[in-house]
Amino acid sequence: MTKTRLDSALAQAAARLPGPQPRFEAELLLGHALGRDRAWLFAHGERVLDADEHAVFGALLERRIAGEPVAYLIGARGFWSLDLAVQPGVLIPRPETELLVELALLQLADRGRVADLGTGSGAIALAIASERPQAQVTAVDISREALAVAQRNAIAAGIDNVVFRHGDWLAPLAGERFDAIVSNPPYLATDDPHLQQGDLRFEPALALASGSDGLDAIRHIIAAAPDHLVAGGWLLFEHGWTQGEAVRALLDAAGYVEVSTARDLEQRERVSMGRWP
Ligand code: GLN
């Protein structure tokens, strides 16, 4: 068989991969195939791949070209300062969600109590806990598979100030109150065509879609959160970029104060918040 150098394998792979980051994706896949990080790849461009390495990388490449998300193929995704394990069955953390973490940190005192509803891989809860090691973080998910992944991520990151609860939104938190409640809930309409495109085709529908207007989960959280917030506590959640006006109206109508929406790096309305008086 032909001898392929690592640098030319990367260039050939990048030329075949669709999407905006073909080179980066090729590096992630080859790094995974070789059990090495990207820095190692840069330093070993002249190394020749053996037949096994070639086969493993080739198989990953074909699966990626067929549409599988890179994060599921390599079992990991960076979020905040964390390298999180992910697998089919949990949402792949998105960079936009870091805005929610930043805004929550602004409101949260060192020893604050915060609940993350629908924690998935644990992205939000663990990012907050890593920045506020004295805070008491509670991570909730209805998916036991997601909770297992999130718990594994906490252990891997050495984070010990998060407790995990199984259940539907606030249901497992009876009698508990928090200084902040945060969530990146599902917010697509069930017939949103994006669900049939890209990575979303491979992600759990439960984590993505929520009713005919995408707002079922958000309506539920807005209604249920006041029983679990201290006076002056904050509710902050992510939503779709066209939903800002609708969610501010819902927050206002429910009696929250200081209602506002923050925009993401693309200047799209992305995170709304309100304070329970
Ligand atoms: N909280 C997780 C994240 O932001 C999962 C969110 C979800 O499954 N909708 O990545």
Side-chain angles (χ1 to χ4, degrees):
M1 74 161 254
T2 53
K3 291 203 163 109
T4 312
R5 282 168 52 128
L6 196 154
D7 51 9
S8 46
L10 276 177
Q12 287 165 22
R16 293 187 58 209
L17 283 165
Q21 296 182 297
R23 175 80 197 188
F24 180 60
E25 291 194 353
E27 289 165 3
L28 290 175
L29 294 175
L30 183 59
H32 183 66
L34 301 182
R36 305 283 190 173
D37 63 16
R38 291 172 58 232
W40 186 92
L41 299 182
F42 298 142
H44 294 84
E46 76 296 339
R47 191 170 163 290
V48 174
L49 298 182
D50 71 26
D52 281 352
E53 292 168 342
H54 209 270
V56 172
F57 180 46
L60 288 169
L61 196 58
E62 295 309 325
R63 288 173 67 183
R64 176 60 189 139
I65 290 166
E68 283 184 64
V70 172
Y72 289 159
L73 292 173
I74 69 172
R77 171 55 47 97
F79 179 83
W80 201 255
S81 61
L82 306 165
D83 188 29
L84 298 172
V86 295
Q87 62 189 42
V90 298
L91 191 83
I92 301 166
R94 305 292 204 271
E96 302 92 279
T97 304
E98 293 180 346
L99 174 64
L100 175 56
V101 174
E102 282 171 32
L103 294 165
L105 288 171
L106 288 177
Q107 305 301 350
L108 196 68
D110 282 354
R111 293 175 181 275
R113 293 155 294 174
V114 57
D116 173 23
L117 308 181
T119 198
S121 64
I124 299 166
L126 296 175
I128 291 173
S130 73
E131 298 292 330
R132 292 276 190 283
Q134 316 270 4
Q136 296 172 40
V137 183
T138 301
V140 178
D141 210 291
I142 197 164
S143 158
R144 289 196 187 275
E145 182 184 0
L147 278 182
V149 171
Q151 255 167 313
R152 186 146 50 87
N153 280 325
I155 292 166
I159 291 170
D160 59 8
N161 56 327
V162 182
V163 296
F164 297 88
R165 298 284 177 77
H166 176 247
D168 192 25
W169 303 120
L170 291 142
L173 307 180
E176 293 183 60
R177 290 196 184 261
F178 300 87
D179 301 296
I181 294 174
V182 299
S183 184
N184 175 23
Y187 51 71
L188 298 180
T190 40
D191 64 354
D192 190 315
H194 291 102
L195 291 165
Q196 316 310 329
Q197 294 166 23
D199 286 4
L200 276 61
R201 291 170 293 167
F202 295 85
E203 294 180 283
L206 191 67
L208 292 166
S210 193
S212 59
D213 63 357
L215 292 172
D216 281 4
I218 287 173
R219 273 189 287 265
H220 177 86
I221 291 167
I222 286 175
D227 280 344
H228 299 274
L229 284 169
V230 300
W234 285 92
L235 172 64
L236 306 99
F237 56 89
E238 182 171 323
H239 52 74
W241 60 281
T242 60
Q243 293 171 331
E245 200 179 325
V247 303
R248 287 190 300 278
L250 289 167
L251 286 163
D252 285 334
Y256 292 79
V257 297
E258 297 176 55
V259 170
S260 68
T261 301
R263 291 172 184 264
D264 63 19
L265 290 172
E266 284 163 1
Q267 295 308 315
R268 292 173 158 187
E269 291 193 324
R270 180 60 65 190
V271 174
S272 287
M273 66 204 89
R275 193 169 203 170
W276 190 248

